[in-house]
Every structure is written in structure tokens, then in C-alpha cells.
Amino acid sequence: MFVTEGVPTETFVRPPNFNEILVDIRRRGKPVVVEGQSGTGKTTIVKKIQAALDDADAPVYLSARKTRDVERIIAIAEGKELGAFIIDDFHRLSPELRTSLADLAKLAAEEWDAEAYPKLIIIGINEVGSALIQFVPDIAKRVGIHRIEPASESLTLELISSGSDALKASFEDPRKIFQESQGDYWLTQQLCQTACTVAGVLEEGEDRVVVPIDMGRIRAVVVEKLRAAYYPAVKEFCRGRRFRPSNDPYYKMLRVVAESGQPVVDLTALANVNEEVRGSINNIKDVRLLNLLDSKELASRYFFYSPETTTFAVEDPAVFYFLRHLDWDALRADCGFRGRDQDFEFDIAISFAGENRALARHVAEQLLSLDVQVFYDENFEANYLGKAWSKEFTRIFGAASRYVLCLLDSYHQDKIWPTFEREVFLPRVQKGDVIPVYLDESPIVGIPKDVVGIEFKDMSEGWQSRADEAIVFKVIDKLD
């Protein structure tokens, strides 16, 4: 009765705007957008309507998660297919494909000609409708945009009642289910199913029975059930693209997301209100987070990130419930992260003169590709708009970086900003926190010549591969 996979039958409840969605989906030619957070039943509602339509009018369901479906979605965007199509997980499509589909939706909205244009029913996470309108601003009035909200208490109780009546059972205090699920349709079904199995109510009985609600026990059973399915993906995500005992920004970010109680967050906003993880989030949100999800297939099944909007989503409500009740300290230990006396915002901060920017940029890019937290000024200009570089450089080269990689030559010795940076990090030389890269024979004030560093004086053709060998790989060894 209580269904956690597929479309429910006995326990399906209609959201308040169900009829409006049905009418728009049924109307030929009119594009439709259905948006809302994970667990609000978007796909279930659309599939219910799909099943209720005549075969001739029923749209074809396609998911952006399936490679074969994406190939067909591309064909639709190119005008090679007509008909009615449900495109689920729209936000997972490339920006270019989303734009093409938005343009197609605009034409369909203008003409309402089913013989010339396909009908699109688009399903996505929060704000997908708004994003579509931003792609093509003048289609707003012609597109049916519907937001699915979490179930109210009354709607949740209706769901529970329909299932318990079919089972000839009564829940001891169904409001406890709502307090735990907060209107999440999937979680409500899961909690009800678990309450029944814990109480031994496995099928419809002869006489009506009472199902007790011990939420502590029910929660423990659900979390343990989900652990086998989702813990490996969570651990893979937290350990990053290239594991190092000190490389824990993904762990910190995911923990804060779980503690926020919101499965869809703006990482920029999240960083601004969580100072203790601001550096970790800012360091991965531009490049490294997307690289991680591109390289880790298991993690990418459950986590989504859009660098254009800095939107991060835990797409499966089951995964998010698991994260909310996870033992994060035990996960940290299991990941192999090493406790440190000091937590650094950056693994490496690169100090250089502008004449050596090409080398600095290459080293930064290579280190980023190896999942190292790097401060390279060009990558952080937007983060520090309105702030004084002198104050930020004092913080970054003084205490916020684990090591300073300095590209030393006559330019570094003579120019104002490199000299300022050097004055900040010179006290760290004696601690072994500064890695000199000697680009010429120029004496550098404050850095004794016997400080072991890296010699790199050949910038002739092919210098990039030599820089990898001489600088990048040695830095990685140092970090490890």
C-alpha cells in the first residue's frame, strides 16, 4: 500500500494544483513546466496524468539521466521528432540543449501547432521554470508553469489514512509521521511502510490493528536500510577526486548542506552564512566540484551541480534523509581524513610577479586538476570584489594557506606586490611552509640560498611538461 518505488495506487494524493497541471498537459501544443524540490512528487504526478490520457494523447517519457533518452531529446531539439514528450531532470541537460529546447517551447507556445512543433512537458528541480523564462523571456505567458510544494499536514494525513484503511490498520499517532517527513511524499511512504513492517503488519488483515509509532526505532531502521544503497556514494563524494588525508572540502560542504535541511542550495549563499566552511566551498564551487562529479559516476547519480548558478542538489529524497541522520564524525574517520591542529583554506597559495603569470597559471591549473586547493589570484577576483587585496593577501599568504609556492626571480625581488606578499610569508620560511621555485640567480631578501627549493630556469618550448615534472608533481608529493 505504501509505495517507495514507482507510482503509488492506493496512497496517491492529488496536490491542490493537480487539475491545473492536468489541463495544461492535456492541451495540445502548450508547453508545460513542473518544478519543485526532490520528494515533492513531480514525476509521480506527471506519470499519473500520462497514464490517464488516451494512448493517442499520452506523452512519451524521457529522462536526462539516460543516455539513450538524451539522444532522443537532442533529436527533438533539432526538430527531427514531433509528438508530446515528458523531459524529466531537465536541469541535468547541457546549457546549450536547455536553450535549444526553450527556443522550441517558445515556437510551440506561439503557434500551438502540433503538426509543426512537439509538445514539451519539462520536469526539473527548483526554479527550472524561471530559468526557462530567462532563456527566452517572452514565453512566460504562454507556458504552463506549475510548482509542486511539499504536502500539507492535512494532505499527508490523507495519504496515511488511504493506505491504512486499505490495510485495515490505524496508526497510533499519524501526526508524528508528518513531523518527521515535513510533507515529503517519498519519506511519508517510507516511514509508513517501515512502521508497518516493524509492527508486523505486512498485508491486509481480517481485523483492524493499531500500528504504534516509535519514531526513534523507525528512523534507525530506515537509515540502516538506506546505508547499504547510499553510503558508498556519499563516501566517494566526500573523499574527492584524488584522496589525500587533508583534502576534505567536499565532506565539509556536504555536511553543511545536510545540516541546512534543504536538499537544493545555492553554494554561494551557503558559503556566505557559514564562515567555518566558506573557504572550502569557495575553493571547490568554480571548477573542482564539477570535475569531481564528472569523474565519479557513483556520486553523480545522486548529486547535481550547476556552476552557472552555483546550485547544488541532493536529488534523491532517500539520500537526503540518509544524510540528515548520518554519523558525520564516523564518516570522517572512515574516509581517512586526518585531524590537524590548524585548518587551512588553501593547500597552496602561489606568489609570483606578473611576468611569470603563464607559469603560475599552468601550475594552478594542473594542481586544480589533481584536486588541490589552490589560491591563484585570477580564480578569486569575484570572491574579493570590494575588498582590499592587501588585507586579503596578508590573510592568505600569512595563515590561510598550508604552503606558499613562490616563483622567485628579479621581478619578484623588485616589484611592489610580490615584495608585499614576500614580507607577509617570510616569517614562515623557517617553519618550512614556503616552497621556493628559483627562476634565475637573483638573490631574494629574506630567503637564504640554502633553503631547499626547486630550480626551474628553462622556459623554452615544451616548458609545460617540464614544469609538471619539476614543480607540480613535487608539490603533490609534499602535500601527500
Side-chain angles (χ1 to χ4, degrees), residues 36-344:
Q37 290 188 355
S38 299
T40 52
K42 305 180 297 295
T43 301
T44 296
I45 291 164
V46 172
K47 283 190 172 182
K48 271 286 183 181
I49 294 172
Q50 177 193 34
L53 296 175
D54 294 335
D55 289 343
D57 297 323
V60 175
Y61 177 85
L62 301 171
S63 172
R65 292 175 180 269
K66 299 178 180 178
T67 303
R68 184 173 297 178
D69 285 0
V70 171
E71 292 172 356
R72 193 167 182 187
I73 293 170
I74 292 171
I76 294 167
E78 293 174 347
K80 298 176 181 178
E81 289 209 38
L82 295 176
F85 301 95
I86 300 166
I87 301 178
D88 203 351
D89 299 306
F90 177 78
H91 56 282
R92 279 189 169 266
L93 299 173
S94 69
E96 296 78 16
L97 186 50
R98 294 200 306 265
T99 302
S100 296
L101 291 168
D103 289 336
L104 196 59
K106 174 190 174 182
L107 293 171
E110 289 175 342
E111 303 295 337
W112 283 16
D113 185 351
E115 301 301 321
Y117 304 104
K119 176 181 175 67
L120 302 180
I121 299 120
I122 292 169
I123 307 175
I125 60 170
N126 286 1
E127 311 305 330
V128 70
S130 301
L132 182 67
I133 293 169
Q134 288 170 9
F135 281 131
V136 188
D138 54 345
I139 69 170
K141 295 180 180 179
R142 302 186 183 95
V143 176
I145 299 176
H146 304 276
R147 178 171 176 77
I148 308 299
E149 301 287 352
S152 62
E153 180 175 353
S154 61
L155 205 58
T156 300
L157 295 179
E158 179 187 336
L159 187 160
I160 297 170
S161 177
S162 62
S164 57
D165 287 347
L167 279 171
K168 293 185 180 178
S170 298
F171 285 91
E172 187 178 59
D173 188 352
R175 285 179 173 79
K176 288 183 178 179
I177 299 287
F178 174 73
Q179 291 166 2
E180 182 76 2
S181 72
Q182 292 298 302
D184 183 303
Y185 289 96
W186 173 86
L187 185 52
T188 300
Q189 300 270 6
Q190 180 66 75
L191 295 172
C192 289
Q193 184 188 98
T194 303
C196 289
T197 56
V198 167
V201 179
L202 307 180
E203 58 188 358
E204 179 184 356
E206 295 280 339
D207 303 311
R208 199 170 190 88
V209 297
V210 176
V211 177
I213 304 296
D214 180 348
M215 191 51 68
R217 185 181 178 191
I218 292 170
R219 183 186 301 131
V221 171
V222 172
V223 171
E224 188 57 33
K225 179 180 178 181
L226 298 176
R227 181 181 178 85
Y230 303 128
Y231 187 78
V234 172
K235 182 178 177 180
E236 179 181 83
F237 179 91
C238 290
R239 283 169 63 94
R241 187 177 182 186
R242 185 178 188 275
F243 173 72
R244 292 190 311 280
S246 62
N247 188 31
D248 61 357
Y250 307 100
Y251 165 87
K252 290 177 179 176
M253 186 211 78
L254 194 60
R255 182 170 186 170
V256 170
V257 171
E259 291 171 349
S260 76
Q262 299 297 323
V264 181
V265 297
D266 178 344
L267 289 189
T268 299
L270 193 68
N272 288 340
V273 298
N274 290 275
E275 186 175 357
E276 71 279 7
V277 296
R278 183 177 301 158
S280 294
I281 293 176
N282 284 339
N283 207 281
I284 64 175
K285 68 182 177 66
D286 292 327
V287 177
R288 296 170 64 200
L289 182 53
L290 191 61
N291 286 345
L292 168 65
L293 294 177
D294 285 343
S295 65
K296 300 289 185 180
E297 191 274 334
L298 185 59
S300 68
R301 291 181 196 172
Y302 307 112
F303 305 112
F304 167 78
Y305 181 59
S306 168
E308 295 88 4
T309 61
T310 68
T311 298
F312 178 80
V314 183
E315 296 193 286
D316 190 324
V319 176
F320 192 67
Y321 186 75
F322 176 66
L323 292 175
R324 283 170 52 199
H325 299 288
L326 185 59
D327 184 335
W328 287 92
D329 292 332
L331 172 62
R332 181 179 178 83
D334 188 33
C335 284
F337 295 129
R338 186 172 55 229
R340 294 179 294 184
D341 295 334
Q342 185 176 359
D343 196 17
F344 296 104

Side-chain angles (χ1 to χ4, degrees), residues 321-382:
Y321 186 75
F322 176 66
L323 292 175
R324 283 170 52 199
H325 299 288
L326 185 59
D327 184 335
W328 287 92
D329 292 332
L331 172 62
R332 181 179 178 83
D334 188 33
C335 284
F337 295 129
R338 186 172 55 229
R340 294 179 294 184
D341 295 334
Q342 185 176 359
D343 196 17
F344 296 104
E345 182 175 342
F346 303 100
D347 292 317
I348 297 290
I350 304 178
S351 174
F352 63 97
E355 286 75 6
N356 298 311
R357 181 168 292 281
L359 176 60
R361 182 185 294 116
H362 175 78
V363 170
E365 289 173 350
Q366 296 303 104
L367 289 173
L368 281 170
S369 72
L370 294 169
D371 213 8
V372 174
Q373 298 182 105
V374 182
F375 175 77
Y376 166 67
D377 59 1
E378 281 186 346
N379 293 345
F380 289 87
E381 288 175 349

